Amino acid sequence: MLGLMQSQQLLISSLIEFADRHHHEGEVVSRRVEGDIHRCTYRDIAQRSRQVAHALDQMDLGFGDRVATLAWNGYRHLELYFGVSGSGRVLHTLNPRLHPDQIVWIANHAEDQVLCFDMSFLPIVKAVHSRCTTIKHFIALCDADKLPADSGIPGLQSYEAWIASHGSTYYWPEFDENSASSMCYTSGTTGNPKAALYSHRSTILHAWAGALPDALNMSARDSVLPVVPMFHVNAWGLPYAAAMTGAKMVFPGPAMDGKSIFELIESEKVTFAAGVPTVWQMMLGHMQQADLRFSTLKRTVIGGSACPPAMITAFNDVYGVEVLHAWGMTEMSPLGTVCTLKNKHVPMGSQEKMTVRLKQGRALYGVDMKIVDDVGAELPWDGKAYGDLLVKGPWVISEYYKGEGDSPLVDGWFPTGDVATIDADGYMQITDRSKDVIKSGGEWISSIDVENIAMAHPAVAMAACIGMKHPKWDERPIVVVVKKPGADVSREGLLAFYEGRTAKWQIPDDVIFVDAIPLGGTGKMQKTKLREALQDYKLPGL
Ligand code: AMP
């Protein structure tokens, strides 16, 4: 017997309609590329996202066509979040930090039809537009009078002119909630980047679970600052959860330095902020130097890489801000676990609480997880046994975009590539990454890409790239090189060889020449042995 309840599809358009109806005065504040502060309300965002939907309809885009963005966190990007997905197209948030060649590859792979970009990325768009073979429309996110006359980009129009001629009444289409809504590429450990393709249903369920008190605890009384970029897994779902709860949104635009972020937190009375450890490190450094204190900030969610204990202590003990250590990944929309205490932890002393807070936390309702050994047998939840972490749930991918039915799942579970323990209370702690990718400033650097460039040098026989701990960037790559017999290249010569072949921040910090790189039984480089050999190594300048 079926239940007798209405079966309304979970669609992203319903989020902005809800915010318009129930929180129309709710504020959306953005620091713009131009440097000024822009203020509007959820009603404005709702009206303008409907104008976006009209403008896309007029471009004759089909259902499910990809509309790409190269943009910072800001109100126009938010309008595209709702206008693109709400009208049945797929929002593809490109990462402007990638090398132009990678951007071209990804845009072509996604078959993007439209590209909307902030003016700060005009040089990138100029460099790539002729190679992005599927993009038919280029929209600069600016006022009509700011559009450059001689950009060389065919048909370039300003966002404001593009939406201006359209009305703000629009009947959002109704369709299957399992339809694709947005996509985000992750740089895998091997080969080309892969895309997670989110659905309306997965996005809404993720936002719903993420907003709960034992997750991000979002409400209409919050002022939320996502420092995590909207091009990185949809800013961890915060734009959707904020519209669902009516929370005020504060967007930092391109100004991610400690001083600008601190000023925005104070001026906009931010209560909740989200970002990777690197961002908070810069802000805490600024605060310590200038002897500053927060007046409104209550909690901050930190994830993307492990949050150092000193950072949790600084936030908690010095500034009275609760740290929510969180873990997730692009393939998980991204939230998997958030570290919030249980009732039994409340009376504990701060030292004891700290041992809990350091962990990546408990699974959100909707995420199931397990750890397994080398043969796939499930390991106990005792906080000691560690194994490969697998997850499943309605906002975890089933396969990659254009995966051609080739599922990454193992018996229905997604292997995260992380190694973890889980304790008896269900708190998960990442002990290691089984991957060799390097995380620098919250972004991946593929060790294989770095190695491939070194290997392209005529004097290099073998190259292994590994990440070295860095106090500011978390990790920085170095490359360990074996020279070809009789050939020569200097450290400086090899580093110069990287220029123009990859993004600047992906160039290794150092080159170490060795006679041989240890190889395993199947001919694979044994990076663990290399790391052991280099345990006393210090990066240049540290
Ligand atoms: P991404 O897909 O770029 O979001 O990266 C996901 C990966 O980042 C995970 O598989 C982890 O290896 C790592 N990661 C994310 N959050 C954390 C965390 N809190 N602690 C340690 N590693 C993390």
Side-chain angles (χ1 to χ4, degrees):
M1 182 164 46
L2 291 177
L4 294 173
M5 306 306 285
Q6 299 180 10
S7 80
Q8 194 178 316
Q9 300 299 297
L10 301 175
L11 299 178
I12 286 172
S13 52
S14 69
L15 292 174
I16 193 60
E17 286 306 311
F18 178 84
D20 183 18
R21 199 162 167 82
H22 299 276
H23 301 283
H24 49 90
E25 290 173 346
E27 284 180 283
V28 177
V29 179
S30 316
R31 194 193 291 277
R32 301 206 294 180
V33 172
E34 295 87 336
D36 62 342
I37 297 286
H38 176 274
R39 295 181 174 278
C40 65
T41 62
Y42 275 120
R43 170 134 311 157
D44 297 321
I45 298 289
Q47 290 181 341
R48 285 162 56 88
S49 58
R50 293 184 207 115
Q51 289 176 274
V52 167
H54 275 301
L56 290 169
D57 287 354
Q58 210 174 52
M59 279 178 165
D60 216 14
L61 295 178
F63 185 75
D65 276 350
R66 270 72 68 207
V67 176
T69 59
L70 260 179
W72 300 112
N73 293 8
Y75 65 104
R76 289 175 176 135
H77 208 170
L78 188 64
E79 290 156 13
L80 288 163
Y81 262 52
F82 295 113
V84 172
S85 305
S87 67
R89 282 89 192 195
V90 176
L91 180 84
H92 175 201
T93 50
L94 284 160
N95 183 344
R97 292 188 182 136
L98 296 178
H99 187 271
D101 290 349
Q102 290 169 310
I103 293 177
V104 169
W105 189 93
I106 289 173
N108 286 338
H109 186 259
E111 299 175 62
D112 294 331
Q113 304 277 314
V114 184
L115 175 60
C116 304
F117 62 94
D118 268 334
M119 287 301 277
S120 31
F121 303 126
L122 182 64
I124 301 181
V125 180
K126 278 184 175 175
V128 303
H129 73 87
S130 61
R131 289 184 286 151
C132 295
T133 50
T134 58
I135 301 180
K136 294 189 234 138
H137 309 278
F138 292 90
I139 313 285
L141 296 171
C142 65
D143 293 331
D145 60 355
K146 298 277 177 358
L147 198 67
D150 52 354
S151 70
I153 300 165
L156 180 66
Q157 43 181 330
S158 83
Y159 179 81
E160 293 302 331
W162 181 52
I163 65 169
S165 57
H166 300 285
S168 58
T169 306
Y170 183 81
Y171 298 99
W172 298 106
E174 292 270 332
F175 44 79
D176 184 344
E177 63 186 15
N178 291 300
S179 307
S181 57
S182 67
M183 69 195 305
C184 189
Y185 278 74
T186 177
S187 34
T189 46
T190 50
N192 287 317
K194 299 185 190 119
L197 185 61
Y198 311 110
S199 69
H200 286 256
R201 175 185 154 84
S202 73
T203 303
I204 292 202
L205 293 179
H206 174 263
W208 227 324
L212 284 172
D214 263 7
L216 306 181
N217 191 14
M218 286 173 66
S219 80
R221 290 157 312 280
D222 272 316
S223 170
V224 180
L225 174 76
V227 186
V228 52
M230 288 166 86
F231 56 76
H232 192 185
V233 213
N234 297 328
W236 299 348
L238 291 174
Y240 306 114
M244 184 179 273
T245 55
K248 171 178 174 178
M249 284 300 262
V250 183
F251 291 120
M256 307 276 205
D257 62 287
K259 184 168 182 285
S260 307
I261 295 292
F262 177 79
E263 282 172 5
L264 208 52
I265 288 175
E266 287 303 297
S267 62
E268 297 307 324
K269 300 190 172 31
V270 169
T271 56
F272 173 49
V276 296
T278 317
V279 162
W280 300 130
Q281 202 160 6
M282 289 194 276
M283 191 187 66
L284 290 176
H286 167 71
M287 290 179 71
Q288 275 151 12
Q289 216 169 29
D291 194 20
L292 300 166
R293 285 286 182 278
F294 296 114
S295 43
T296 55
L297 191 69
K298 288 194 197 119
R299 60 194 194 287
T300 169
V301 58
I302 304 183
S305 49
C307 182
M311 185 173 287
I312 302 184
T313 313
F315 269 115
N316 264 306
D317 302 355
V318 183
Y319 299 106
V321 172
E322 185 189 9
V323 169
L324 305 172
H325 193 190
W327 166 86
M329 53 198 310
T330 307
E331 290 89 337
M332 300 177 68
S333 305
L335 291 175
T337 62
V338 180
C339 197
T340 53
L341 300 181
K342 288 187 175 179
N343 210 16
K344 69 184 204 182
H345 301 123
V346 175
M348 285 179 172
S350 59
Q351 211 42 37
E352 240 182 323
K353 273 189 190 145
M354 187 67 180
T355 59
V356 182
R357 287 188 188 284
L358 268 179
K359 302 193 175 193
Q360 275 76 4
R362 299 186 272 133
L364 268 64
Y365 166 75
V367 173
D368 201 1
M369 58 184 184
K370 66 174 180 178
I371 42 172
V372 300
D373 65 13
D374 288 349
V375 294
E378 192 164 350
L379 292 163
W381 288 23
D382 60 7
K384 293 192 194 87
Y386 58 88
D388 291 322
L389 178 64
L390 288 93
V391 291
K392 64 176 179 181
W395 54 85
V396 179
I397 63 160
S398 57
E399 65 174 274
Y400 290 99
Y401 169 68
K402 290 189 178 170
E404 319 293 349
D406 191 8
S407 171
L409 307 189
V410 179
D411 297 331
W413 292 78
F414 177 77
T416 64
D418 289 325
V419 177
T421 61
I422 305 176
D423 69 20
D425 291 316
Y427 286 78
M428 184 275 286
Q429 184 161 27
I430 305 275
T431 56
D432 205 351
R433 284 206 288 272
S434 51
K435 313 167 184 177
D436 284 319
V437 287
I438 293 143
K439 204 131 207 209
S440 181
E443 300 283 339
W444 287 120
I445 296 177
S446 159
S447 57
I448 293 170
D449 285 354
V450 176
E451 288 159 12
N452 285 346
I453 294 172
M455 297 285 284
H457 190 284
V460 173
M462 193 180 281
C465 172
I466 52 176
M468 287 288 165
K469 286 259 164 272
H470 189 281
K472 178 168 178 189
W473 301 113
D474 194 15
E475 284 183 337
R476 289 295 305 150
I478 64 163
V479 63
V480 181
V481 166
V482 180
K483 285 188 229 175
K484 283 184 187 159
D488 203 15
V489 60
S490 65
R491 172 186 181 277
E492 287 66 29
L494 191 57
L495 291 179
F497 187 70
Y498 278 90
E499 299 281 351
R501 290 186 164 84
T502 189
K504 269 211 170 340
W505 58 275
Q506 295 182 347
I507 297 177
D509 277 9
D510 205 0
V511 180
I512 296 175
F513 293 102
V514 293
D515 291 333
I517 289 173
L519 297 180
T522 54
K524 288 201 182 85
M525 291 187 288
Q526 290 187 309
K527 292 190 182 177
T528 38
K529 289 215 170 134
L530 266 184
R531 287 196 191 94
E532 278 164 29
L534 291 168
Q535 60 185 350
D536 295 323
Y537 168 86
K538 289 239 172 333
L539 282 164
L542 293 186

